[in-house]
Amino acid sequence: MAHMLKELYEKTNEYTAFYTGGDIQWTSDGGQFLCQCEDVIKVIDINTLSNVLTIGEVNEDKEETDQIYTFQLSNNNEIVVTAHKSGLMKLWDKNTGQQKKVWRSGHKGAVARLAFDSTDTNIASGGSDGNIRLWDLNHYTCISSLHGAMGVFTIVKYHPDVSKQLIFGAADDTKIRSWDSKSGKELQIYSGHFSKVTSLLFTPDGEHMVSSGRDRVLILWKINESKALKVLPVYESIETAILLPPSFRIPNFKKKLEMDGIYVACAGEKGVVKVWNMQMSRLMFEQNNSLVSPATEEGGLAITHLLFNEARNMLSVVTVDHNIIIHDLETFNCLKQMIGFTDEILDIIFIGKDETHFIVATNSRDLKHYELDNLNCKIVKGHTDIVLSLANFPTKPDMFASSGKDNTVRIWINLSNNEIQCLGVGYRHTASVGSVFTAQTSDKFFVSVSQDNCLKIWDVPKNQDVVDVKLNATHTELAHQMDINCVAVSPNDKIIATASQDKTAKLWSEDLILLGVLKGHRRGIWCVRFSPVDQVVLTSSADSSLKLWSIADLSCLKTFEGHESSVLKIEFLSKGQQIISSGADGLLKLWNIKTSECKMSLDNHDGKVWSLTVNRNESLIITGGSDSKLVKLKDVTVERREKLAKDREELILQEQELQNLLHDKKLVKALKLALRMERPLHVLKIINEVLKHGHNKLFETLKEINHTQKETLLRFAVEWNTNNKNCHAAQIVFNILTPEIISGNLKVANLESFIEASLPYTERHFERLTNLLQDLNFITYTVNSMQPHAVKH
């Protein structure tokens, strides 16, 4: 059975965060998003979801990083300007990511907003000091400073009509102001909002504008007048709004679009997109298929950005959870979902008969449903608080269970069209449900444990055509006196194991009768698993160890130590012969149970590895952790063995060839082969054999080898030079190759060390002996001069 053991898993793919909040922009052709991601801007290809370019300086030392506060893409999509924490503004080439110019913003504080004019020759920076500075991008000089506002700017925009020479801004004082962009003179003050102004839109006629705010209103203004033409209550805090083009189609929109109208799409607190006719003060469309959950508190945020792309007729919704959802405007169907940042990844499971998809529970109320091949994602709504645990049914791969901080458990099914549907909800727990586990031989029940210290067994609904039925808990037991971290069901469904912060694991019958207590860990137990073949159970703990226990007598059979921190997740592999474990130290380790040996240790994560899942044939592992990173690993044991066998076979052939060349006295070919095989002893024998025919013969022979082989020969000669028997050959090699070293044709890594190592063996030892004798004479002289009588005696 040893041939079945795994030896190595290799990372094949990694899915990391590309949008962590802040500004986001869509290129005019609709092909890419520019997303603010920590201290850089990532350019993401919409079709492949790949990061094609990173704009900014990646610095691993967070303290030295110059944080980006905001950025702006030019109208022609050629350049990007960023504003930084240091007060610097930087201009980048959008296509190459190269930095082209740096200058100081001159603001007494951070730059909060940037805006290009229509010609991309000027850029405006709105600061936290209440000032707007206008910059000439041809000379990188400040051409004007606009005063009057108070506080941090939330809106800075040029009027799209260049001939009007107008720039608009709104700051913390909730007033919208306009200035002449040439003279810097303040022209109009538009007072109407009573809270933060979140967007400003200009109509195609150039004579009107629409503003939105957190005060739950949209306001229509005439640009030349400071009085509001219409104030439209929208009954929710609006964070973002866009102006729809004069001609468009959306579903259930029965009004004739040839009629004049100003149509504004807005979103914010409620998580749905609404379209309003500003002139008629009417709601024309309300989204009914939103994947965005509403804000948890009044005045909170659900949607942070709406982006419209005219080239593709698409609308993008950016959520407070850093998800980007792209809709076709005409049908309002969801075309693509992009997960910018998953926060902590808490659990992962494979689903489906072919395991082509997997489900991820992140630090969010929504589940993420990924395709394995391309990591396309769908958001699954249902839980009302963070999902903590997932478990699939081995006998029904399309069905799985989940639990969360909303004190509920849920049963889900993956339909034939890859849509996830909730079959039932269980409400009996009174605290966060930290772990669920399913029956292994049927799909009739599953178990859960909670912070209420209870273990429950739940029935799975028989009629799976009905959705959201209330689940029935058949058994309940107060299992531990402290939080229960994990639960598992044995392969025959006869025993249930629970693991707790009280440092113990307990075994229960199917009727929740206590069978035994496993004691031995020094700290809380994070995970427990049954062996698929043996009568043993495995636990992992915050004491950095794994323990293997006998179910028969509850004794500890083995302890595995190697992790530097808490061991958070464990699984059996290779029919119970091996263990895979992940820990708070960021490591993934592979253990052989028989030898207690750690066969592999991978460091792919920068934080705690909370979750790992293995597919049925154990060819793939997916891990996730606190670094918001999903890592896909492939079993390369067979490939590795085949490569080793091939290398061994090739080595045997080379050995045979070398022996044949030496036997036939083909010394040049033998020397080249021995150097390629890295065999210093064989090379020395060949050099000595050549030297029997004189130094000139060796000189001629070394002319036949290339520079790389000569560098290898020098390395071997340094090694020979440490031995008195071999230093003669080494010195001759040095003498022959020294001219090439001096001319620079041969590279020597550390010339001083090389010179010292290449000194003749006897000379080096003579120097050491001379130094030793000098030291001895000095000591004798000192002793004689100080204590003559003692020396005589």
Side-chain angles (χ1 to χ4, degrees):
M1 298 289 282
H3 66 278
M4 294 176 59
L5 297 184
K6 309 284 184 283
E7 290 181 1
L8 184 65
Y9 281 88
E10 199 172 77
K11 181 169 74 174
T12 60
N13 205 350
E14 184 176 279
Y15 188 72
T16 57
F18 62 82
Y19 175 57
T20 55
D23 287 328
I24 180 169
Q25 288 193 255
W26 205 348
T27 54
S28 55
D29 63 1
Q32 295 174 335
F33 279 114
L34 274 72
C35 307
Q36 205 169 325
C37 183
E38 294 184 339
D39 305 314
V40 296
I41 297 163
K42 293 194 175 182
V43 181
I44 305 298
D45 185 283
I46 290 176
N47 297 320
T48 63
L49 300 182
S50 58
N51 178 21
V52 295
L53 185 68
T54 298
I55 298 173
E57 296 154 358
V58 180
N59 196 332
E60 293 183 2
D61 187 354
K62 296 288 183 186
E63 293 181 2
E64 294 183 10
T65 302
D66 193 6
Q67 183 182 347
I68 295 175
Y69 279 160
T70 186
F71 77 91
Q72 190 69 24
L73 175 67
S74 62
N75 298 298
N76 63 9
N77 293 183
E78 293 296 323
I79 58 173
V80 175
V81 173
T82 55
H84 296 258
K85 182 180 179 180
S86 62
L88 296 176
M89 290 171 65
K90 299 179 182 180
L91 187 142
W92 310 81
D93 187 304
K94 148 70 176 61
N95 299 312
T96 63
Q98 294 295 314
Q99 182 179 300
K100 297 173 75 174
K101 192 69 180 178
V102 182
W103 71 97
R104 290 214 158 267
S105 70
H107 286 278
K108 296 177 182 176
V111 174
R113 287 289 178 267
L114 294 168
F116 280 95
D117 69 355
S118 300
T119 62
D120 292 332
T121 55
N122 296 307
I123 192 168
S125 60
S128 57
D129 55 1
N131 293 333
I132 294 176
R133 293 171 75 86
L134 307 183
W135 302 88
D136 180 350
L137 289 181
N138 292 323
H139 304 95
Y140 303 100
T141 55
C142 180
I143 54 178
S144 190
S145 185
L146 312 180
H147 305 280
M150 294 177 62
V152 181
F153 273 95
T154 56
I155 298 291
V156 174
K157 275 200 171 183
Y158 279 94
H159 193 283
D161 186 349
V162 181
S163 63
K164 288 185 179 294
Q165 297 183 358
L166 289 175
I167 185 168
F168 294 80
D172 287 344
D173 57 8
T174 72
K175 293 178 175 61
I176 302 169
R177 288 176 163 81
S178 67
W179 292 267
D180 186 300
S181 60
K182 292 298 179 185
S183 65
K185 181 183 177 183
E186 186 176 279
L187 301 176
Q188 298 282 353
I189 299 177
Y190 306 86
S191 299
H193 285 284
F194 298 97
S195 188
K196 176 184 172 183
V197 182
T198 54
S199 62
L200 191 63
L201 314 167
F202 298 102
T203 57
D205 62 12
E207 299 300 324
H208 297 83
M209 63 182 184
V210 179
S211 62
S212 70
R214 294 270 183 90
D215 52 5
R216 301 167 173 256
V217 294
L218 293 170
I219 302 180
L220 177 65
W221 311 85
K222 191 167 176 59
I223 285 177
N224 295 329
E225 300 173 8
S226 57
K227 186 180 177 182
L229 297 180
K230 279 202 184 284
V231 178
L232 178 59
V234 293
Y235 312 109
E236 65 170 319
S237 293
I238 298 298
E239 185 65 19
T240 178
I242 57 168
L243 200 70
L244 294 176
S247 177
F248 67 93
R249 288 170 61 99
I250 52 176
N252 305 320
F253 194 97
K254 296 173 183 176
K255 210 70 181 157
K256 290 182 179 179
L257 293 174
E258 290 76 21
M259 293 176 61
D260 288 336
I262 298 169
Y263 296 100
V264 175
C266 62
E269 180 183 348
K270 293 185 179 178
V272 295
V273 178
K274 296 178 182 178
V275 177
W276 299 83
N277 184 324
M278 289 300 299
Q279 287 171 318
M280 295 175 63
S281 301
R282 282 183 60 183
L283 176 63
M284 309 303 291
F285 169 80
E286 182 172 357
Q287 184 185 9
N288 59 9
N289 61 346
S290 176
L291 295 168
V292 186
S293 302
T296 52
E297 55 188 33
E298 189 175 343
L301 291 180
I303 294 174
T304 57
H305 297 83
L306 283 181
L307 306 170
F308 177 65
N309 189 268
E310 202 162 358
R312 297 198 177 195
N313 198 35
M314 292 178 182
L315 184 75
S316 281
V317 175
V318 184
T319 74
V320 74
D321 288 337
H322 313 114
N323 303 327
I324 304 166
I325 304 164
I326 303 175
H327 294 272
D328 179 78
L329 186 64
E330 192 167 320
T331 63
F332 231 85
N333 290 334
C334 175
L335 301 177
K336 192 176 280 284
Q337 299 172 44
M338 302 165 68
I339 310 301
F341 176 61
T342 57
D343 207 350
E344 293 199 51
I345 297 168
L346 303 178
D347 209 355
I348 310 170
I349 54 166
F350 282 101
I351 61 164
K353 292 177 182 176
D354 301 324
E355 297 183 311
T356 55
H357 291 72
F358 61 97
I359 303 287
V360 180
T362 67
N363 205 13
S364 163
R365 66 177 75 175
D366 301 325
L367 293 171
K368 312 291 192 305
H369 181 206
Y370 285 94
E371 289 181 42
L372 185 63
D373 292 336
N374 53 25
L375 288 178
N376 279 344
C377 180
K378 291 181 180 177
I379 296 167
V380 181
K381 295 172 66 176
H383 281 279
T384 57
D385 207 338
I386 293 171
V387 183
L388 298 172
S389 179
L390 301 166
N392 53 11
F393 286 85
T395 56
K396 193 163 187 178
D398 287 321
M399 196 162 70
F400 66 96
S402 68
S403 67
K405 279 193 173 182
D406 54 6
N407 305 353
T408 68
V409 294
R410 288 176 180 259
I411 286 286
W412 308 81
I413 191 160
N414 185 28
L415 303 175
S416 56
N417 60 355
N418 275 325
E419 294 295 322
I420 304 291
Q421 193 173 71
C422 181
L423 296 178
V425 188
Y427 296 97
R428 293 295 185 86
H429 281 291
T430 59
S432 297
V433 187
S435 180
V436 286
F437 209 89
T438 59
Q440 301 296 288
T441 61
S442 72
D443 57 4
K444 293 180 179 177
F445 75 92
F446 69 99
V447 297
S448 65
V449 291
S450 165
Q451 284 186 356
D452 61 12
N453 304 337
C454 286
L455 164 64
K456 289 181 184 288
I457 300 178
W458 304 82
D459 272 343
V460 174
K462 293 178 182 177
N463 183 4
Q464 295 176 0
D465 296 327
V466 185
V467 297
D468 288 336
V469 300
K470 189 174 180 180
L471 298 178
N472 179 39
T474 58
H475 296 80
T476 300
E477 183 66 38
L478 187 66
H480 291 265
Q481 297 302 313
M482 294 179 72
D483 289 358
I484 309 174
N485 293 327
C486 188
V487 64
V489 178
S490 65
N492 62 1
D493 290 344
K494 299 296 182 185
I495 304 175
I496 298 167
T498 55
S500 169
Q501 285 295 105
D502 63 10
K503 308 176 191 176
T504 68
K506 292 184 179 180
L507 302 179
W508 308 84
S509 71
E510 52 193 328
D511 299 324
L512 299 193
I513 297 169
L514 183 63
L515 301 176
V517 182
L518 307 175
K519 295 181 180 179
H521 281 293
R522 300 187 304 277
R523 297 183 69 181
I525 301 175
W526 277 111
C527 195
V528 61
R529 288 290 184 267
F530 285 94
S531 168
V533 291
D534 298 317
Q535 295 292 306
V536 294
V537 67
L538 180 69
T539 57
S540 68
S541 167
D543 63 11
S544 309
S545 71
L546 296 80
K547 287 184 183 288
L548 200 64
W549 309 81
S550 166
I551 293 176
D553 59 9
L554 308 178
S555 62
C556 179
L557 303 174
K558 281 196 174 186
T559 300
F560 303 87
E561 294 181 334
H563 279 281
E564 298 171 3
S565 187
S566 299
V567 186
L568 302 173
K569 204 68 180 281
I570 45 176
E571 296 290 350
F572 279 98
L573 294 178
S574 309
K575 294 189 176 179
Q577 298 177 88
Q578 290 180 294
I579 302 163
I580 191 86
S581 64
S582 67
D585 51 9
L587 300 178
L588 185 74
K589 288 182 178 286
L590 177 68
W591 308 83
N592 278 4
I593 291 177
K594 187 175 181 181
T595 62
S596 302
E597 181 186 6
C598 178
K599 293 291 292 181
M600 174 194 81
S601 187
L602 299 177
D603 186 9
N604 293 318
H605 289 273
D606 304 321
K608 297 175 181 176
V609 186
W610 284 112
S611 53
L612 74 89
T613 186
V614 187
N615 66 350
R616 278 191 292 276
N617 62 16
E618 299 176 354
S619 61
L620 283 179
I621 292 176
I622 300 176
T623 60
S626 59
D627 55 0
S628 183
K629 192 187 289 185
L630 280 169
V631 178
K632 189 161 72 172
L633 302 153
K634 180 187 175 186
D635 178 18
V636 293
T637 303
V638 174
E639 291 93 323
R640 188 189 188 195
R641 287 175 182 168
E642 287 176 354
K643 186 178 182 302
L644 287 173
K646 187 178 179 182
D647 290 347
R648 199 159 41 242
E649 186 180 337
E650 191 176 329
L651 188 63
I652 291 168
L653 291 172
Q654 286 180 340
E655 289 274 9
Q656 187 61 51
E657 185 184 353
L658 183 61
Q659 294 301 326
N660 292 341
L661 289 171
L662 289 171
H663 181 268
D664 297 340
K665 301 295 182 182
K666 295 179 180 177
L667 299 180
V668 175
K669 286 186 177 180
L671 178 61
K672 288 179 178 180
L673 183 58
L675 287 167
R676 192 166 70 245
M677 292 172 64
E678 295 272 336
R679 294 297 171 86
L681 190 59
H682 283 92
V683 173
L684 180 62
K685 286 179 180 178
I686 295 165
I687 294 291
N688 285 330
E689 188 67 31
V690 175
L691 281 173
K692 290 178 181 178
H693 301 90
H695 290 195
N696 289 337
K697 182 65 177 174
L698 181 61
F699 184 79
E700 293 298 322
T701 302
L702 296 189
K703 276 185 177 180
E704 299 290 321
I705 63 175
N706 61 34
H707 288 307
T708 305
Q709 291 165 339
K710 286 176 182 176
E711 287 168 16
T712 306
L713 180 59
L714 276 173
R715 189 156 39 86
F716 291 169
V718 168
E719 191 179 323
W720 305 335
N721 202 40
T722 59
N723 189 320
N724 191 29
K725 290 192 289 185
N726 306 327
C727 67
H728 176 66
Q731 288 300 310
I732 294 171
V733 169
F734 291 145
N735 291 340
I736 293 171
L737 296 181
T738 295
E740 291 192 52
I741 297 171
I742 294 168
S743 66
N745 290 333
L746 282 184
K747 305 293 181 187
V748 179
N750 189 332
L751 193 57
E752 288 184 11
S753 301
F754 170 75
I755 291 170
E756 185 184 346
S758 62
L759 283 172
Y761 181 86
T762 50
E763 184 180 324
R764 281 185 284 122
H765 281 265
F766 178 74
E767 284 180 5
R768 290 176 192 162
L769 188 62
T770 304
N771 293 336
L772 189 65
L773 287 171
Q774 286 175 350
D775 291 344
L776 187 62
N777 289 335
F778 175 74
I779 292 166
T780 306
Y781 170 77
T782 305
V783 171
N784 284 339
S785 61
M786 293 178 66
Q787 300 178 16
H789 297 291
V791 172
K792 286 178 185 177
H793 288 290

